[in-house]
């Protein structure tokens, strides 16, 4: 070879086949042109010996790709994840890439198992809403299958992640109400998660901006399970002997559970102020006026697609941490 850079003609010569055959294999046209699996394996084995060269790595990734991306979410019934998956699937479909969507049900062991199953299915990359406390497991996967965290991320991780900005937007959301009230309750779950922690930080910042001093018993948190928001508000109601004047929920499913309790006890909408992270169009028709933060699903989905594309092509990301600005939706 005239230079150290291996070319298709060089691989063809080493494999004893034509350059056209090598090109067909690298571009996944070997079945169309009835190239034998033996020839395919021989060509790829030679390319593997030179995969330290970036262009050869790209050839190998394309030749071995399954055009599938694995996605792990904790709960597909959650409206936020459903809307995100809707936009994500549409964005990848435009590139003829299919999603394999799995659910962890907020269970760490289940998450690890479904991630391993996705690897066994040879997905090209993974987008994960993780419930794990460490990135060690995904760092090992990332050595051969690119991993992108979404929504939640692990503090100090070197893996890329995409999430919505929370601190400033939550502070802006609740500040006008905090200025006119003498109490504001945060009813949330899983405060150890970075996304929830950021929303809690924004809640505290909003109170500070409004000049309202936070009382320790205004923060109501627990581990999440279905109907937890209902249970937390019911217990708070019993403890206070009345309902709180204002509530902020850091997720749409918790808001839904809080609303189910309010409906059950037939609370007058004028008696309570409700704010939440995660807007859904159905809130516009709610009996209770609700101000909410609407995440930009379409932008997040497009950035996920572009980031995965960069990772698969071994491009250096401009930013490992990407925060997407959400919008505040005020009730009429």
């Amino acid at each position: 070879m005239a230079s150290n850079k291996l070319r298709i003609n060089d691989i063809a010569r080493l494999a004893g086949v034509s350059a056209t055959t090598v090109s067909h294999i690298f571009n996944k046209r070997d079945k169309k042109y009835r190239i034998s699996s033996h020839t395919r394996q021989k060509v790829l084995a030679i390319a593997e010996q030179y995969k330290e060269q970036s262009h050869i790595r790209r050839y190998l990734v394309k030749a071995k790709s399954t055009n599938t991306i694995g996605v792990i979410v904790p709960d597909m019934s959650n409206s936020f994840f459903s809307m995100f998956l809707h936009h994500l699937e549409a964005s990848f479909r435009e590139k003829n890439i299919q999603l394999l969507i799995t659910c962890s049900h907020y269970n760490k062991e289940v998450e690890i198992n479904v991630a391993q199953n996705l690897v066994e299915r040879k997905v090209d990359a993974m987008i994960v809403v993780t419930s794990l406390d460490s990135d060690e497991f995904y760092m090992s996967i990332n050595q051969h299958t690119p991993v992108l965290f979404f929504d939640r991320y692990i503090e100090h991780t070197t893996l890329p992640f995409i999430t919505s900005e929370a601190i400033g937007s939550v502070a802006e959301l609740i500040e006008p109400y905090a200025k006119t009230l003498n109490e504001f309750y945060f009813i949330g779950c899983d405060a150890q998660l970075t996304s929830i922690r950021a929303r809690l930080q924004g809640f505290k910042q909003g109170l500070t901006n409004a000049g309202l001093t936070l009382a320790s018993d205004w923060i109501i948190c627990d581990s999440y399970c279905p109907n937890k928001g209902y249970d937390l508000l019911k217990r708070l109601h019993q403890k206070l002997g009345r309902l709180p004047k204002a509530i902020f929920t850091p997720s749409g499913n918790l808001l839904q559970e809080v609303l189910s309790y309010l409906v059950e006890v037939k609370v007058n909408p004028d008696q309570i102020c409700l704010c939440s992270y995660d807007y859904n169009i159905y809130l516009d028709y709610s009996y209770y006026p609700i101000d909410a933060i609407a995440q930009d699903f379409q932008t997040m989905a497009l950035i996920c697609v572009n980031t995965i594309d960069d990772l698969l092509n071994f491009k250096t990301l401009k930013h490992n941490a990407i925060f997407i600005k959400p919008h505040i939706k005020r009730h009429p």
Side-chain angles (χ1 to χ4, degrees), residues 192-211:
Q192 79 282 0
L193 298 174
T194 48
S195 56
I196 302 300
R197 204 158 65 233
R199 294 167 197 181
L200 176 55
Q201 186 177 343
F203 173 79
K204 293 177 179 178
Q205 185 63 53
L207 298 185
T208 299
N209 293 348

Side-chain angles (χ1 to χ4, degrees), residues 138-210:
Y138 287 110
M139 286 295 289
S140 64
I141 289 179
N142 191 63
Q143 293 178 12
H144 49 79
T145 304
V147 175
L148 172 65
F149 286 139
F150 175 75
D151 184 48
R152 305 169 183 176
Y153 57 94
I154 296 170
E155 206 163 14
H156 308 305
T157 186
T158 57
L159 293 173
F161 66 85
I162 296 170
T163 190
S164 290
E165 188 280 328
I167 298 173
S169 55
V170 172
E172 183 181 349
L173 174 72
I174 71 165
E175 183 179 345
Y177 299 106
K179 285 180 177 178
T180 63
L181 299 166
N182 59 8
E183 68 176 23
F184 214 129
Y185 281 81
F186 177 100
I187 295 181
C189 289
D190 297 335
Q192 79 282 0
L193 298 174
T194 48
S195 56
I196 302 300
R197 204 158 65 233
R199 294 167 197 181
L200 176 55
Q201 186 177 343
F203 173 79
K204 293 177 179 178
Q205 185 63 53
L207 298 185
T208 299
N209 293 348

Side-chain angles (χ1 to χ4, degrees), residues 22-283:
V22 174
S23 178
H24 286 332
I25 291 170
F26 284 159
N27 288 285
K28 296 172 64 178
R29 296 194 296 259
D30 45 301
K31 289 184 179 179
K32 178 180 178 180
Y33 292 100
R34 299 181 181 180
I35 297 169
S36 71
S37 59
H38 172 75
T39 299
R40 172 185 167 83
Q41 291 170 6
K42 187 175 182 180
V43 168
L44 295 181
I46 292 169
E48 282 283 349
Q49 298 174 34
Y50 298 90
K51 65 181 180 181
E52 74 279 357
Q53 298 185 20
S54 60
H55 68 295
I56 297 296
R57 286 202 306 275
R58 286 193 288 271
Y59 286 151
L60 285 168
V61 167
K62 188 172 184 179
K64 294 178 178 180
S65 69
T66 59
N67 288 337
T68 57
I69 303 296
V71 184
I72 302 174
V73 297
D75 180 4
M76 282 185 276
S77 68
N78 182 305
S79 61
F80 165 66
F81 296 126
S82 297
M83 289 299 297
F84 168 68
L85 290 172
H86 168 75
H87 288 283
L88 188 70
E89 190 279 333
S91 297
F92 272 117
R93 184 163 21 93
E94 289 182 359
K95 293 179 172 288
N96 295 317
I97 293 174
Q98 291 185 323
L99 300 185
L100 288 180
I101 302 170
T102 58
C103 190
S104 67
H105 303 286
Y106 303 96
N107 185 301
K108 296 176 183 178
E109 291 183 4
V110 172
E111 180 181 332
I112 290 171
N113 286 335
V114 297
Q116 291 170 334
N117 288 338
L118 289 173
V119 170
E120 289 173 6
R121 288 175 177 269
K122 300 187 183 302
V123 296
D124 297 333
M126 292 171 59
I127 298 172
V128 182
V129 182
T130 187
S131 295
L132 303 187
D133 302 319
S134 165
D135 65 357
E136 183 178 355
F137 171 71
Y138 287 110
M139 286 295 289
S140 64
I141 289 179
N142 191 63
Q143 293 178 12
H144 49 79
T145 304
V147 175
L148 172 65
F149 286 139
F150 175 75
D151 184 48
R152 305 169 183 176
Y153 57 94
I154 296 170
E155 206 163 14
H156 308 305
T157 186
T158 57
L159 293 173
F161 66 85
I162 296 170
T163 190
S164 290
E165 188 280 328
I167 298 173
S169 55
V170 172
E172 183 181 349
L173 174 72
I174 71 165
E175 183 179 345
Y177 299 106
K179 285 180 177 178
T180 63
L181 299 166
N182 59 8
E183 68 176 23
F184 214 129
Y185 281 81
F186 177 100
I187 295 181
C189 289
D190 297 335
Q192 79 282 0
L193 298 174
T194 48
S195 56
I196 302 300
R197 204 158 65 233
R199 294 167 197 181
L200 176 55
Q201 186 177 343
F203 173 79
K204 293 177 179 178
Q205 185 63 53
L207 298 185
T208 299
N209 293 348
L212 185 59
T213 302
L214 173 69
S216 59
D217 59 352
W218 292 354
I219 309 297
I220 312 294
C221 278
D222 203 344
S223 298
Y224 183 74
C225 64
N227 294 318
K228 180 59 73 172
Y230 175 99
D231 293 336
L232 291 176
L233 180 54
K234 182 178 181 179
R235 275 186 266 164
L236 178 60
H237 189 184
Q238 292 170 345
K239 177 183 175 182
L240 295 176
R242 60 173 176 82
L243 283 165
K245 296 177 182 178
I247 295 173
F248 170 79
T249 56
S251 67
N253 56 334
L254 284 167
L255 173 64
Q256 179 181 330
E257 292 160 5
V258 163
L259 287 172
S260 68
Y261 182 78
L262 296 178
V263 170
E264 182 178 297
V265 298
K266 300 179 180 178
V267 177
N268 189 308
D270 295 332
Q271 294 179 311
I272 193 163
C273 169
L274 296 172
C275 296
S276 183
Y277 209 94
D278 283 346
Y279 165 80
N280 187 299
I281 192 170
Y282 297 117
L283 298 184

